[in-house]
Each structure stands twice: as structure tokens, then as C-alpha cells.
Amino acid sequence: MDQTKNNLGKIDISTDVIASIASYATSECYGIVGLGKRGPDGLIELFKNEQSGKGIKITSDEDGIVIDLYIIVEYGVNIKTVAANIIEKVKYTVETFTGIKVKNVIVNVQSIKVDI
């Protein structure tokens, strides 16, 4: 949970809220199938939009927050370009919506979806 204080009081923003904002921003990017995470059995679980916040890890300290995203991309897209777009979009969206400084966005590509 991240706190902002001023002379009128304090605002607590849950990491779940930050994860939901990051999930929404990620889903708007081209080339993304969804968020997903590799399970202990090696299988990838694809999270649907209604499971926003899953496939995202938020860590915070005094300097800001770090957002880890676990994504699945479409086959044939330039992964480096997609990841760069996600980093820019998530950083901008989270900072704009919450006013919290995003120190780093880490994109972990878990899988590629191939349509046959």
C-alpha cells in the first residue's frame, strides 16, 4: 500500500488498485494476448480481463514503486517494441492516475500465442 500525506490528511492507495491500473494499461497495447504467469507445473495460466491485477507484482519503497508484468504476446510481433510500448504506457498511466512515481517497469514475456 502506498501513502500520500498532505496538510489535509492522507491517501492510501492499495497495490491491488495499482495492479488493476497497470493491467488496464497493458491490455490496451498492441501485440498483447494477456497477462499470464508460469505455474509450478510449467504451464502458463492466461488471465482474463475480469481478473485484472493478476500477472502483476508491485513492490514499493520510499522512492516509488516497481511494477513486474508477466505477459503473453502474439506470434509475429516485435517483442522488444511491444515491451517498450508497455513500459511507457504503464509508467505514464500509473503516474497520471495515482501521482505515485514509478521507478521501474519490468516486462517478463512468459509465452507467445500462435494461432493455427
Side-chain angles (χ1 to χ4, degrees):
M1 184 171 311
D2 204 332
Q3 287 187 351
T4 305
K5 294 181 182 180
N6 63 21
N7 61 345
L8 300 175
K10 71 176 183 173
I11 302 168
D12 293 326
I13 300 175
S14 166
T15 55
D16 291 339
V17 171
I18 296 169
S20 292
I21 294 168
S23 174
Y24 177 75
T26 301
S27 69
E28 289 187 328
C29 293
Y30 174 78
I32 293 296
V33 173
L35 294 163
K37 205 158 193 176
R38 188 175 305 275
D41 55 1
L43 296 176
I44 305 288
E45 182 178 0
L46 176 63
F47 299 117
K48 305 288 185 201
N49 286 342
E50 56 271 4
Q51 294 175 307
S52 67
K54 299 220 181 223
I56 299 175
K57 179 181 166 193
I58 309 288
T59 54
S60 65
D61 60 20
E62 309 82 44
D63 299 333
I65 60 174
V66 175
I67 302 171
D68 284 290
L69 301 169
Y70 299 87
I71 64 167
I72 299 170
V73 296
E74 293 178 10
Y75 176 79
V77 298
N78 184 318
I79 295 172
K80 185 177 177 181
T81 303
V82 170
N85 289 337
I86 291 169
I87 291 168
E88 184 178 324
K89 175 85 172 174
V90 168
K91 182 174 174 25
Y92 173 79
T93 305
V94 170
E95 288 181 343
T96 301
F97 282 22
T98 65
I100 299 169
K101 181 182 181 332
V102 176
K103 291 191 326 186
N104 206 359
V105 177
I106 301 167
V107 177
N108 301 285
V109 179
Q110 296 293 301
S111 183
I112 296 174
K113 183 175 185 230
V114 180
D115 288 328
I116 298 176

